[in-house]
Amino acid sequence: MPRVSEAHRAARRSQILDAAARCFAREGFHRATMHDVVRESGLSPGAIYRYFRSKDDLVQTIAAERHARERAWLADANRGADVLAQVRGLARAFFGALRDPAERTRRSQTIQLWAEALRRPDIRRLVRRGVDEPRAALRALVERAQRQGALPRDLAPDAVARMMIALFQGFVLQQAWDRRVDGDAYLATLERVIDALAREVSRPRPPRTASARRE
Amino acid sequence: MPRVSEAHRAARRSQILDAAARCFAREGFHRATMHDVVRESGLSPGAIYRYFRSKDDLVQTIAAERHARERAWLADANRGADVLAQVRGLARAFFGALRDPAERTRRSQTIQLWAEALRRPDIRRLVRRGVDEPRAALRALVERAQRQGALPRDLAPDAVARMMIALFQGFVLQQAWDRRVDGDAYLATLERVIDALAREVSRPRPPRTASARRE
Amino acid sequence: MPRVSEAHRAARRSQILDAAARCFAREGFHRATMHDVVRESGLSPGAIYRYFRSKDDLVQTIAAERHARERAWLADANRGADVLAQVRGLARAFFGALRDPAERTRRSQTIQLWAEALRRPDIRRLVRRGVDEPRAALRALVERAQRQGALPRDLAPDAVARMMIALFQGFVLQQAWDRRVDGDAYLATLERVIDALAREVSRPRPPRTASARRE
Amino acid sequence: MPRVSEAHRAARRSQILDAAARCFAREGFHRATMHDVVRESGLSPGAIYRYFRSKDDLVQTIAAERHARERAWLADANRGADVLAQVRGLARAFFGALRDPAERTRRSQTIQLWAEALRRPDIRRLVRRGVDEPRAALRALVERAQRQGALPRDLAPDAVARMMIALFQGFVLQQAWDRRVDGDAYLATLERVIDALAREVSRPRPPRTASARRE
DNA sequence: CATGAATGAGTGTTCATTCAT
DNA sequence: GATGAATGAACACTCATTCAT
């Protein structure tokens, strides 16, 4: 029977995590100090270490939280009837979210986690799952579209899924460095490409593709 | 050891830079210490500070060097006749380079620079130029292809350029976290998409596009 | 050891300041290292930096403290009736203090601050105030003596004040380099000079002074 | 038979000393680096270490040179007939020199040496001789004046000598911290005091002095 | 439970000095 | 003789973490 309620613990935890997230977004994981987090959270060092084992643990928890959030976000991807509409919906949801100012903070964390994943296996595991789970969902979606005749059968579903994720990742990077990047044109062109692929279904293919691969 | 040749100076410089690159790839910019670089280079702290003003300067120089390397890499992109062949050539060169083991080290640096660009304006400038210059080249290529009738005229050239870069960036990330990622399938699918776009030229478009956008 | 009393804080502060003073007196500001202060204080580097921003801050605080001490010392200079007795009292208090062994340490600091004032504006400000405030007090004293007819009216009060301070400063220097300097004889002769000046009041002056200035 | 002429050696030596003097005056002994001296002198580190054993040696040599200069300056003090005129001449020469801008540099060095003398016996020896020699000369002068009846016999000659030196030292300090200090008024008042003392010779003294000492 | 003063190993950097050329 | 690249011990300072209160 704990001395403080579970609700109190949870509140403290997210108070710390929010403060840490702000610090990390502002300064970067490495430049931000635990003292920064202490100041930002209004708590004491001891209090923070009661909830988190270390600074690395704080980073890891934030990474896990990011992962969970993005997973939830894809939860209803593989439902519904019109596959192409769903892909477009996903894309729109994703790019739309980037307009939220709070999303800037999260994006900054995400990019830092991408770098952090290179050195820390625990982070890498999370980041990889953040690719693998959407990838599986997108692949299933593409496969369903192929079965329905909405996308050509010679497209490698897994590669398509990776490409879609890459298109998201690259856009996140480019917009993080340059706010003026035009998300609408990017999204429109992405949809235009999907249309082009969709139309490939009803098209005679072999000769052209063969020649393209020849060289 | 005075009055040393320019060649000696250059050799020392790259001795340091190489050591730093190895340390940064192994530990990350922040975790790697100057002492690590000292040990790795076999020189003394003083020697390193004779060639570089600070640790940040070392990072910046490595960033600039990566930028220069990637720029050279695109130098002959916008030449030659067959535009689509060129795009494919570029893609193949890029993905092919990823097989070089030394490229792993460089890629690791690049990803770290992407994160570093969020906080350091000098790095951001370099990283952005690393996007903007290829983007301009790719856009010109797409425009040329459109004039030649090799790509449909309703594609936004700039967005296409960004997407191609995003496809590269995303692949670099995904492969950095998971060596097993299949570059060949990715490249083949990318070429498949370019083919699909190319074939759009000879297609009646307006009604379809409109309906695609309608929803 | 949290939530410590204000008294504890003050004790720690002066524990550090005392240790620093000893180090600075022993080694000089520049040769003394923070590690010396750490060792001498029995604390850790971090503890010291909790109370002082930098080594320079430590020097500055000691300078300010010396300034405050010397200011207090002059506080009751300009009171009382017999002006000449007061000047003599001041002189005796000043020279008397030099017999205290703890004063050796402080004097050593003072002389170092005189040199430090040449380069550091913050120290120069303090050192100058350490001259200007006594000077104003002494000048007022001399002016009062002139109004009372205790000193001749043709003495420039400000120059006299500067001279008295110079006599103190020079004595501090000379005794710092050679302990055997006889403070009693110095003080007696100083009083003898003041007497001589006092007796000038009742003397016919013009012709002599003119001839003295003539050459 | 040396490879370079003695004249060349001497020229190099003073080239280095001049450069060092400028650096030390600008930055202080401790903050000035050997690299500064290298840059300022236009020579190489090796060259400097061929002429001086260490940085401390450079300081010591400058101190010795300062000492020699000030000694020369007093060389003809104890000659000539009119003692008081000579004292005044000395004072005027001394204060007059302070108007030379090059003297600012030297004064800055002198003050630093006063502080340095506290820690370094070699410097202390020089600085003390810089007091003791003028003091002996001034004492002899005072004694001669007393024998000639130009100054009262109850003045302690040595204390008077110390006071005169103190008046110089204090003025140097005060003017180093505040350029606006009025040297002319100071000098005039100093002469005024000497006049007062001179006139004591023909004055009935005992009762007053006794009362002054009584308290 | 919470506090925050304290720790101390470790950081990036400097600089007096040396010595191969 | 002269050079200046190189050295490396030492420096001022930081910060993740602990634990007495």
Side-chain angles (χ1 to χ4, degrees):
Chain A
M1 201 182 295
R3 303 271 284 275
V4 289
S5 71
E6 200 54 43
H8 180 257
R9 275 193 66 80
R12 271 277 193 275
R13 254 185 87 88
S14 65
Q15 180 182 359
I16 294 167
L17 280 176
D18 289 355
R22 281 193 298 274
C23 292
F24 292 163
R26 198 194 306 124
E27 306 282 349
F29 292 148
H30 297 280
R31 264 197 269 285
T33 69
M34 287 302 267
H35 186 72
D36 289 338
V37 179
V38 165
R39 209 187 307 103
E40 186 82 29
S41 68
L43 296 173
S44 63
I48 289 172
Y49 278 86
R50 174 155 293 277
Y51 291 89
F52 297 94
R53 252 191 325 287
S54 66
K55 187 182 175 185
D56 278 357
D57 186 26
L58 221 36
V59 171
Q60 216 235 29
T61 306
I62 282 176
E65 199 236 22
R66 286 261 60 192
H67 171 64
R69 185 184 279 265
E70 266 151 25
R71 171 212 290 262
W73 193 82
L74 265 172
D76 46 18
N78 210 2
R79 264 178 266 143
D82 185 351
V83 172
L84 288 188
Q86 252 200 45
V87 169
R88 282 195 291 266
L90 262 176
R92 239 172 263 154
F94 183 90
F95 288 105
L98 294 180
R99 289 195 193 93
D100 178 5
E103 189 67 17
R104 289 202 84 78
T105 298
R106 294 191 207 106
R107 228 180 317 166
S108 167
Q109 283 168 19
T110 300
I111 294 172
Q112 287 179 66
L113 288 170
W114 292 349
E116 205 63 12
L118 299 172
R119 322 277 137 230
R120 286 180 55 179
D122 58 336
I123 303 294
R124 183 158 60 247
R125 216 155 18 231
L126 284 165
V127 163
R128 251 173 75 172
R129 273 206 281 164
V131 170
D132 290 345
E133 290 177 5
R135 182 162 57 92
L138 288 167
R139 185 178 51 210
L141 213 55
V142 169
E143 282 164 350
R144 199 138 56 86
Q146 288 175 324
R147 278 195 302 275
Q148 293 178 358
L151 283 175
R153 287 178 192 271
D154 68 331
L155 274 176
D158 196 69
V160 170
R162 278 204 189 281
M163 285 173 67
M164 294 194 68
I165 291 167
L167 287 166
F168 291 163
Q169 291 170 329
F171 183 80
V172 164
L173 285 171
Q174 292 175 38
Q175 206 188 243
W177 305 326
D178 183 358
R179 299 195 187 197
R180 297 164 315 179
V181 171
D182 184 351
D184 292 334
Y186 194 87
L187 177 54
T189 306
L190 173 54
E191 294 193 354
R192 177 72 181 79
V193 172
I194 292 171
D195 283 351
L197 286 173
R199 272 200 298 280
E200 287 286 294
V201 173
S202 55
R203 200 151 26 194
R205 222 170 321 98
R208 289 253 3 180
T209 307
S211 81
R213 293 259 162 80
R214 192 177 45 200
E215 179 229 15
Chain B
M1 208 183 292
R3 191 146 286 170
V4 116
S5 67
E6 200 51 46
H8 176 89
R9 275 193 67 79
R12 270 279 189 273
R13 237 186 102 87
S14 62
Q15 179 183 358
I16 295 165
L17 233 29
D18 290 355
R22 280 192 299 275
C23 292
F24 291 163
R26 197 195 308 124
E27 307 281 349
F29 293 149
H30 296 281
R31 264 197 270 285
T33 70
M34 287 306 266
H35 187 70
D36 290 339
V37 178
V38 165
R39 210 187 306 104
E40 184 81 30
S41 67
L43 295 172
S44 62
I48 289 171
Y49 280 88
R50 167 165 287 274
Y51 291 88
F52 298 94
R53 256 192 319 287
S54 65
K55 185 183 176 184
D56 277 357
D57 186 26
L58 222 36
V59 171
Q60 218 239 28
T61 304
I62 282 176
E65 201 233 21
R66 283 228 53 79
H67 171 65
R69 184 183 278 266
E70 266 150 25
R71 171 213 288 261
W73 194 83
L74 264 172
D76 44 19
N78 210 3
R79 263 178 265 145
D82 185 349
V83 171
L84 288 188
Q86 251 201 46
V87 169
R88 282 194 291 265
L90 262 176
R92 239 171 262 156
F94 183 89
F95 288 106
L98 293 181
R99 288 193 194 96
D100 178 4
E103 190 67 18
R104 288 201 82 79
T105 297
R106 296 192 206 104
R107 225 180 320 164
S108 166
Q109 284 166 19
T110 300
I111 294 172
Q112 287 179 64
L113 288 170
W114 291 349
E116 204 64 11
L118 299 173
R119 323 271 141 233
R120 284 181 55 180
D122 58 335
I123 303 294
R124 184 158 59 245
R125 217 155 14 224
L126 283 166
V127 163
R128 252 175 73 170
R129 274 206 282 162
V131 169
D132 289 345
E133 289 177 6
R135 183 162 57 92
L138 290 167
R139 187 178 50 210
L141 213 57
V142 169
E143 283 164 350
R144 197 138 58 85
Q146 288 176 323
R147 279 196 301 276
Q148 293 178 358
L151 283 175
R153 288 180 191 269
D154 70 330
L155 274 175
D158 197 70
V160 170
R162 278 204 188 281
M163 285 172 68
M164 294 194 68
I165 291 167
L167 287 166
F168 291 163
Q169 291 171 329
F171 185 79
V172 164
L173 285 171
Q174 292 174 38
Q175 207 191 243
W177 303 326
D178 183 358
R179 296 194 189 196
R180 298 163 315 178
V181 171
D182 185 351
D184 292 333
Y186 194 88
L187 176 55
T189 307
L190 172 54
E191 294 192 357
R192 177 71 182 78
V193 171
I194 293 171
D195 283 350
L197 287 173
R199 270 200 299 281
E200 287 286 294
V201 172
S202 55
R203 274 212 134 249
R205 224 170 319 99
R208 291 263 352 191
T209 305
S211 80
R213 294 259 161 79
R214 192 177 43 199
E215 180 240 10
Chain C
M1 208 184 289
R3 190 147 285 171
V4 116
S5 68
E6 200 52 47
H8 176 89
R9 276 194 67 79
R12 270 279 189 272
R13 237 186 103 88
S14 63
Q15 178 183 359
I16 294 166
L17 234 28
D18 289 355
R22 280 193 299 276
C23 291
F24 291 162
R26 195 195 308 125
E27 308 281 351
F29 293 149
H30 296 280
R31 262 197 271 285
T33 69
M34 287 306 267
H35 187 71
D36 290 338
V37 180
V38 165
R39 210 188 305 104
E40 184 81 30
S41 67
L43 296 171
S44 62
I48 289 172
Y49 281 89
R50 167 165 287 275
Y51 291 88
F52 298 93
R53 253 191 321 286
S54 65
K55 185 184 175 184
D56 277 358
D57 186 26
L58 223 36
V59 171
Q60 218 239 27
T61 304
I62 283 175
E65 201 233 20
R66 284 228 53 79
H67 170 65
R69 185 183 278 266
E70 266 149 27
R71 172 212 288 261
W73 192 83
L74 264 172
D76 46 19
N78 209 4
R79 262 178 265 145
D82 184 350
V83 172
L84 288 187
Q86 251 200 45
V87 169
R88 281 193 292 267
L90 260 175
R92 238 171 264 154
F94 183 88
F95 288 106
L98 294 180
R99 287 194 194 96
D100 178 6
E103 189 67 18
R104 289 201 84 76
T105 297
R106 296 193 206 103
R107 226 181 318 165
S108 166
Q109 285 166 17
T110 301
I111 294 172
Q112 288 179 65
L113 289 170
W114 292 348
E116 204 63 12
L118 299 173
R119 324 270 141 233
R120 284 181 55 179
D122 58 334
I123 303 294
R124 182 157 61 246
R125 218 156 12 227
L126 283 166
V127 163
R128 252 175 74 170
R129 273 205 284 163
V131 169
D132 290 344
E133 289 177 7
R135 183 162 58 91
L138 289 168
R139 187 178 50 209
L141 213 55
V142 170
E143 284 164 350
R144 197 136 59 86
Q146 288 176 324
R147 279 196 300 275
Q148 294 176 357
L151 282 175
R153 288 180 191 268
D154 68 331
L155 274 175
D158 197 70
V160 170
R162 278 203 189 280
M163 285 172 68
M164 295 193 68
I165 291 167
L167 288 166
F168 292 162
Q169 291 171 329
F171 183 81
V172 164
L173 285 171
Q174 292 175 38
Q175 206 190 244
W177 305 324
D178 182 358
R179 298 194 188 197
R180 297 163 317 178
V181 172
D182 184 351
D184 291 333
Y186 193 88
L187 176 55
T189 307
L190 173 53
E191 295 193 355
R192 177 72 183 79
V193 172
I194 293 171
D195 283 350
L197 287 172
R199 271 200 299 280
E200 287 286 295
V201 172
S202 54
R203 276 209 134 251
R205 225 169 319 97
R208 289 263 352 191
T209 306
S211 79
R213 294 262 161 79
R214 193 177 42 200
E215 179 235 12
Chain D
M1 203 181 294
R3 302 272 285 273
V4 290
S5 72
E6 201 53 45
H8 180 257
R9 275 194 67 80
R12 271 274 194 276
R13 253 186 88 88
S14 65
Q15 179 182 0
I16 294 165
L17 280 176
D18 289 356
R22 281 192 298 275
C23 292
F24 291 162
R26 199 194 305 123
E27 306 282 348
F29 293 149
H30 296 281
R31 264 196 270 283
T33 69
M34 287 303 266
H35 186 72
D36 290 339
V37 179
V38 165
R39 210 189 304 104
E40 185 82 29
S41 68
L43 296 172
S44 63
I48 288 172
Y49 278 86
R50 175 156 294 275
Y51 290 90
F52 298 93
R53 253 192 324 287
S54 65
K55 185 182 177 185
D56 279 356
D57 186 25
L58 221 37
V59 171
Q60 215 236 29
T61 305
I62 281 176
E65 199 235 21
R66 286 261 61 193
H67 170 63
R69 185 184 279 266
E70 266 150 26
R71 171 212 290 262
W73 195 81
L74 265 172
D76 46 18
N78 209 4
R79 264 178 267 144
D82 185 350
V83 172
L84 288 188
Q86 250 199 47
V87 169
R88 281 194 292 264
L90 262 175
R92 241 172 260 155
F94 184 88
F95 288 106
L98 293 180
R99 287 192 194 97
D100 178 7
E103 189 67 18
R104 290 200 83 77
T105 298
R106 295 191 207 105
R107 227 179 317 165
S108 166
Q109 283 168 20
T110 300
I111 295 172
Q112 287 179 66
L113 288 170
W114 292 349
E116 204 64 12
L118 300 172
R119 322 278 138 229
R120 286 180 55 180
D122 59 336
I123 302 294
R124 183 157 61 244
R125 216 155 18 230
L126 284 166
V127 163
R128 251 173 75 171
R129 273 206 282 163
V131 170
D132 289 346
E133 290 177 6
R135 182 161 58 91
L138 289 167
R139 186 178 50 208
L141 213 56
V142 169
E143 282 165 349
R144 197 137 58 86
Q146 288 176 323
R147 280 194 301 275
Q148 292 177 358
L151 282 175
R153 288 181 191 269
D154 69 331
L155 273 175
D158 197 69
V160 170
R162 279 204 188 281
M163 285 173 67
M164 295 193 68
I165 291 167
L167 287 166
F168 292 163
Q169 291 170 329
F171 184 81
V172 164
L173 285 171
Q174 292 175 37
Q175 206 189 242
W177 305 326
D178 183 357
R179 297 194 187 196
R180 298 164 314 179
V181 172
D182 184 352
D184 291 333
Y186 193 88
L187 176 55
T189 306
L190 173 53
E191 295 192 354
R192 177 73 182 79
V193 172
I194 293 170
D195 282 352
L197 287 172
R199 273 200 297 280
E200 287 286 292
V201 173
S202 55
R203 199 150 29 193
R205 220 171 322 99
R208 290 261 353 189
T209 307
S211 81
R213 293 261 160 79
R214 192 177 44 199
E215 179 231 13

